[in-house]
Amino acid sequence: MIRVEFLGPIQKDALELEINNLSELATILQETPEMREWLENSAIAVNDTLVSTLDFPLKDGDKVSMLPPVCGG
């Protein structure tokens, strides 16, 4: 089971999913219209390490975090 957390202003509860890679997660999240924009603009971390490809493999117990862009100064 993979835990998916949405940080910052993304208003979505955490999910528990049986998926094998980030591409499968993207397919699931694209079914929700308000998540499409977040997918395009957010960084993704697996177990607190940023990843740059949707082909990244996932294993049971992994934590995926969606990190939306933020402003600060």
Side-chain angles (χ1 to χ4, degrees):
M1 189 73 64
I2 307 301
R3 180 171 177 83
V4 182
E5 297 178 345
F6 305 92
L7 305 179
I10 302 174
Q11 299 296 311
K12 188 163 181 66
D13 292 333
L15 300 173
E16 299 278 338
L17 301 170
E18 292 285 346
I19 54 177
N20 297 309
N21 58 48
L22 294 175
S23 182
E24 290 179 22
L25 174 61
T27 299
I28 291 167
L29 294 178
Q30 287 175 351
E31 294 173 2
T32 308
E34 60 271 9
M35 289 304 299
R36 288 184 193 135
E37 185 175 341
W38 288 121
L39 281 170
E40 293 175 11
N41 298 315
S42 296
I44 304 291
V46 176
N47 300 323
D48 300 323
T49 300
L50 291 175
V51 297
S52 59
T53 178
L54 291 179
D55 293 330
F56 192 88
L58 299 171
K59 61 185 181 310
D60 190 43
D62 280 349
K63 178 183 78 171
V64 175
S65 302
M66 284 191 62
L67 310 159
V70 295
C71 294

